[in-house]
Amino acid sequence: MKILFLSFTLLFFFTPNDTLTGRWESRPSEKGNVTGVFFKPDHSLEGYVNKKPFTTGTYDFDPKDSIISFVDNGCNGVRAVYKILFFSNSDSLRFRAISDSCTERKNGMERLILGRVK
Amino acid sequence: MIFMKKRFIISAIITITAFAFVQSTVITNGPAAKATLGRLLFSDPILSKDHTISCASCHKPRFAFADTSAVSKGVAGKKGTRNTPTAMNLLLSNSFFWDGRAGTLEEQALAPIENPKEMNLSLDEALHRLKDNEKYNGYFKEIFNSEPTKENLGAAIAAFERTLETSDSPFDNWKFSNDSTAVSSAVRRGFVVFNAKGKCVQCHFGADLTANEFRNIGLFNGKNLDDSGRSVITGKAGDIGKFKTPSLRNIAITAPYMHNGLFKTLEQVIDFYNDTKKIVPNAINKDSLLEKPLGLTKQEKTDLKAFLISLTDKRFRN
């Protein structure tokens, strides 16, 4: 019984409890650049272009409303809140800003369309 | 008769092998072929007036395609005025040279050929030489379906430069590949300093650790430091002393540093940023970001250096 309880507890903590955890990438742009984000289970995130890390931060995701709140190292610690719009059986996503005062990041985020890396 | 037959078979094998070898080394059409031609041109002194200098003379492959001198020497030993920047990791750049005077890599690739202090060869003469050269003329015809022109010469060299991307450093392995063993704890601490107390990330943000902006870091005083940088291109007084923020990829092997090669070591660079006034007290138009000393401790400086070294690609690590 103890083992069963422990298993359930471990499953609860280590199974991705949302549709976001994992690696997501864009299609190659006209110039061939691929942008990606790795949402880690420990609530840290890594953004990259062509396998080169360009941003790092932490996030919280509310799967009920598909709302992500995060800070990264690119915008002076300014927190951003976005609604994630999942589509294609939750295999693709895009971001819609709820609040982000960092204009450059906002412009980049709203252009992104990412697909789950399998 | 048997002997003749054997000789025939051996000759046939040699011929087929030679043909296959030639086929495999011939430049064929496509982006890779452009880059292959670009690689040949990059290392060929044919593009300098006295046939002594190639792009690779200053953009040394061993040193991440940068130079080890503060300023490079061109034809007839003429000294340039700025430090040779790395020719690597330019794919995401949108301006080139320290002052950003070129808007494309194609444009950038041609400029040193004509620069009197670098290769000092007119483009007309360069094209003339390439047309007269049976090998190059053939390659250009095969790849571009045209004889050498200014446009396809720039395109070939730029195509080669676009292949010079690096993304296999310990930092990449830590962050992209999620390999927590790729870096030391000093590197991790250094990355924290980079993002916070050191303020480095404010200019060196991005996949190549540059925001590709122009900044005046306090190395212009109108006296002994009189390179006005970006303002020569834009004509704006506010751009005096501004230079393009360079990528930090492979920075550990591209000394000396800054647009004038002023600092020989990463320690000197870190000490400068820690308190710019100490090194250049009378700087003009300096970025407000660097107004106050950073106040880094000895340990923080050591950690920051460890982080910078972790940006060295595997191909350059012993």
Side-chain angles (χ1 to χ4, degrees):
Chain A
M1 190 62 192
K2 259 185 187 174
I3 289 169
L4 199 65
F5 176 73
L6 191 67
S7 304
F8 273 119
T9 310
L10 285 174
L11 205 65
F12 177 77
F13 280 108
F14 291 100
T15 303
N17 61 351
D18 58 60
T19 47
L20 187 63
T21 309
R23 201 178 277 273
W24 299 77
E25 286 184 357
S26 70
R27 283 189 167 180
S29 70
E30 221 171 90
K31 289 182 176 174
N33 298 321
V34 173
T35 303
V37 186
F38 186 15
F39 293 104
K40 298 182 186 176
D42 66 357
H43 296 271
S44 65
L45 66 88
E46 304 292 347
Y48 54 90
V49 178
N50 302 340
K51 300 184 179 179
K52 295 176 175 185
F54 79 92
T55 191
T56 186
T58 54
Y59 75 97
D60 284 306
F61 179 63
D62 180 352
K64 197 165 59 160
D65 303 317
S66 295
I67 288 175
I68 184 170
S69 159
F70 67 92
V71 283
D72 67 358
N73 62 341
C75 288
N76 278 323
V78 172
R79 182 164 285 277
V81 182
Y82 283 81
K83 168 97 175 164
I84 297 185
L85 308 169
F86 289 97
F87 57 100
S88 294
N89 291 327
S90 296
D91 266 2
S92 300
L93 62 82
R94 61 187 309 159
F95 301 92
R96 197 180 69 210
I98 293 174
S99 72
D100 189 356
S101 59
C102 184
T103 314
E104 209 171 322
R105 178 173 62 192
K106 190 178 166 193
N107 291 340
M109 290 287 289
E110 292 200 318
R111 276 202 306 267
L112 267 184
I113 297 176
L114 303 175
R116 184 180 280 285
V117 178
K118 289 172 181 169
Chain B
M1 188 64 186
I2 292 169
F3 178 69
M4 288 286 282
K5 218 175 184 179
K6 253 187 185 172
R7 259 185 33 177
F8 174 77
I9 290 166
I10 290 167
S11 308
I13 289 169
I14 290 170
T15 309
I16 290 165
T17 310
F19 181 73
F21 177 74
V22 168
Q23 283 294 92
S24 68
T25 53
V26 150
I27 294 180
T28 50
N29 212 341
K34 267 192 221 174
T36 311
L37 173 59
R39 180 166 54 80
L40 291 176
L41 291 162
F42 194 88
S43 303
D44 197 330
I46 193 173
L47 295 176
S48 65
K49 185 162 190 167
D50 59 4
H51 296 266
T52 58
I53 303 281
S54 72
C55 308
S57 304
C58 303
H59 295 282
K60 297 181 169 91
R62 270 183 63 206
F63 300 99
F65 291 79
D67 201 356
T68 50
S69 308
V71 291
S72 305
K73 281 184 181 169
V75 292
K78 285 181 194 165
K79 273 190 171 181
T81 48
R82 291 176 185 159
N83 181 249
T84 302
T86 175
M88 302 193 92
N89 296 301
L90 297 175
L91 198 62
L92 300 171
S93 283
N94 46 22
S95 64
F96 305 89
F97 294 112
W98 281 103
D99 54 18
R101 88 187 89 114
T104 65
L105 207 44
E106 283 75 5
E107 195 186 333
Q108 179 279 325
L110 297 178
I113 300 171
E114 289 198 292
N115 188 322
K117 287 181 175 172
E118 296 181 45
M119 293 151 103
N120 194 25
L121 186 70
S122 74
L123 280 178
D124 284 344
E125 177 59 19
L127 296 173
H128 189 70
R129 284 186 190 178
L130 294 172
K131 283 173 199 170
D132 276 356
N133 183 298
E134 204 180 320
K135 178 184 80 174
Y136 279 123
N137 202 40
Y139 289 160
F140 274 92
K141 282 196 171 149
E142 191 169 346
I143 294 164
F144 295 103
N145 200 23
S146 139
E147 58 184 14
T149 65
K150 201 169 79 171
E151 288 72 26
N152 57 32
L153 173 60
I157 297 174
F160 168 61
E161 290 181 313
R162 288 194 180 97
T163 66
L164 303 176
E165 293 290 299
T166 63
S167 57
D168 192 7
S169 67
F171 174 70
D172 297 318
N173 296 333
W174 172 33
K175 288 290 177 184
F176 175 77
S177 306
N178 206 23
D179 177 2
S180 58
T181 64
V183 294
S184 64
S185 47
V187 171
R188 289 159 189 269
R189 289 193 304 267
F191 188 49
V192 173
V193 176
F194 180 87
N195 286 311
K197 194 171 172 184
K199 301 183 187 173
C200 318
V201 76
Q202 306 223 13
C203 303
H204 290 282
F205 176 76
D208 292 313
L209 298 111
T210 169
N212 287 308
E213 295 168 336
F214 297 89
R215 299 268 188 165
N216 179 332
I217 56 167
L219 289 178
F220 177 83
N221 60 13
K223 293 172 187 163
N224 59 322
L225 299 168
D226 61 353
D227 189 339
S228 47
R230 180 71 175 156
S231 70
V232 175
I233 309 303
T234 63
K236 292 178 184 167
D239 285 341
I240 285 178
K242 286 187 179 176
F243 292 91
K244 191 181 168 188
T245 306
S247 163
L248 295 181
R249 287 190 170 272
N250 306 307
I251 196 73
I253 56 163
T254 63
Y257 304 106
M258 309 305 185
H259 70 274
N260 52 3
L262 186 64
F263 302 126
K264 291 190 173 76
T265 64
L266 286 175
E267 285 89 345
Q268 288 176 351
V269 173
I270 294 169
D271 281 340
F272 168 71
Y273 280 121
N274 192 40
D275 191 352
T276 58
K277 268 185 204 158
K278 234 183 194 176
I279 316 288
V280 184
N282 50 355
I284 298 169
N285 197 35
K286 186 171 66 178
D287 203 303
S288 58
L289 197 62
L290 297 167
E291 203 43 56
K292 286 182 187 163
L294 300 173
L296 299 179
T297 64
K298 197 176 168 191
Q299 183 64 54
E300 286 166 337
K301 289 180 187 178
T302 307
D303 292 341
L304 189 53
K305 185 183 165 194
F307 166 68
L308 293 172
I309 292 170
S310 83
L311 302 172
T312 311
D313 194 74
K314 200 174 168 184
R315 76 179 78 177
F316 299 118
R317 296 175 82 87
N318 297 325

